[in-house]
Amino acid sequence: GEDVEQSLFLSVREGDSSVINCTYTDSSSTYLYWYKQEPGAGLQLLTYIFSNMDMKQDQRLTVLLNKKDKHLSLRIADTQTGDSAIYFCAIASSSNTGKLIFGQGTTLQVKP
Amino acid sequence: GAVVSQHPSRVICKSGTSVKIECRSLDFQATTMFWYRQFPKKSLMLMATSNEGSKATYEQGVEKDKFLINHASLTLSTLTVTSAHPEDSSFYICSAPLGGGTEAFFGQGTRLTVV
């Protein structure tokens, strides 16, 4: 079945760049997503990338997609303490009806 | 972006009682909604797909008689946890896809604690 893997924890210093990595198994996914979850809150859609793109940039966020290696990454430039949260990589299931398969989530800790 | 509202955000109930959680799409119609469950420090696990006008589709291992889903209208899906037990305590989140399923918007989640 479809599977999404992420590293569980990342710690960076304020002002540095953060890179969160994700690998997946289903190559038929049309869309790949990054969500942010703050403590006790729901999920906030940060960005998504269409599978025929290699890169997407949105202000401090850069998403890189390597379809050959089935690898997705999220780079946060100039990381701030407010970026501390859990970041989930998600892929649309092969039926592409809005059903998402999530990674385990990467906890980003930003130290002042 | 589109808004999905989930209610209540927190609920505490006694063992053996039932709890209903609502998920509403506020500014768009959703023929399909999804219910996820999140364990502490864990990823989101899809429980079921809620279909307007027909029965929900449950994922393997999810008890349909325990987690009753009703998709009453194009903007409302409900999840009822019946005869709740402490092991049902969890964070439940709904989502609704917009348009052709390009984006899925999530409710703010419901923290259920069964005592």
Side-chain angles (χ1 to χ4, degrees):
Chain A
E2 300 149 334
D3 192 27
V4 180
E5 297 281 337
Q6 293 177 245
S7 53
L8 296 181
F9 186 78
L10 176 65
S11 180
V12 300
R13 292 216 171 270
E14 192 173 20
D16 288 350
S17 292
S18 307
V19 179
I20 301 172
N21 295 300
C22 172
T23 57
Y24 58 95
T25 57
D26 183 4
S27 59
S28 64
S29 299
T30 311
Y31 295 95
L32 303 97
Y33 304 84
W34 284 103
Y35 284 87
K36 176 182 180 182
Q37 184 181 36
E38 296 184 1
L43 272 71
Q44 173 194 356
L45 177 65
L46 284 179
T47 186
Y48 66 92
I49 189 167
F50 189 53
S51 60
N52 70 353
M53 298 170 65
D54 298 325
M55 184 183 85
K56 180 178 179 181
Q57 186 157 0
D58 183 4
Q59 300 182 332
R60 292 191 297 124
L61 305 179
T62 303
V63 178
L64 294 178
L65 175 61
N66 182 328
K67 279 197 75 175
K68 175 175 169 290
D69 294 339
K70 299 180 186 176
H71 182 267
L72 182 73
S73 68
L74 173 70
R75 178 176 180 270
I76 306 173
D78 187 25
T79 313
Q80 303 296 308
T81 54
D83 295 325
S84 294
I86 302 176
Y87 290 81
F88 289 95
C89 166
I91 62 172
S93 77
S94 53
S95 58
N96 210 20
T97 58
K99 173 181 170 180
L100 299 180
I101 311 299
F102 285 86
Q104 311 93 309
T106 299
T107 298
L108 175 63
Q109 179 188 68
V110 183
K111 297 179 180 178
Chain B
V3 178
V4 173
S5 177
Q6 194 172 333
H7 178 81
S9 57
R10 289 180 181 274
V11 58
I12 300 173
C13 70
K14 291 185 177 180
S15 289
T17 62
S18 296
V19 173
K20 180 185 284 189
I21 303 169
E22 293 186 347
C23 180
R24 293 181 185 272
S25 55
L26 296 186
D27 48 2
F28 66 102
Q29 294 182 333
T31 55
T32 303
M33 292 185 179
F34 300 94
W35 287 97
Y36 294 84
R37 179 174 178 176
Q38 185 179 31
F39 295 94
K41 300 188 186 302
K42 295 285 187 182
S43 183
L44 285 82
M45 180 192 78
L46 179 67
M47 298 175 66
T49 303
S50 174
N51 304 300
E52 191 269 336
S54 63
K55 291 182 180 180
T57 306
Y58 290 82
E59 297 298 304
Q60 192 173 8
V62 178
E63 298 177 61
K64 60 182 179 183
D65 293 331
K66 180 163 189 63
F67 298 101
L68 299 179
I69 290 172
N70 184 271
H71 201 131
S73 72
L74 287 171
T75 59
L76 174 64
S77 174
T78 60
L79 168 67
T80 302
V81 183
T82 63
S83 186
H85 289 282
E87 56 264 31
D88 298 325
S89 298
S90 195
F91 193 60
Y92 295 86
I93 310 179
C94 69
S95 78
L98 179 65
T102 307
E103 298 181 47
F105 293 91
F106 284 78
Q108 54 271 65
T110 298
R111 171 72 60 192
L112 170 63
T113 303
V114 185
V115 296

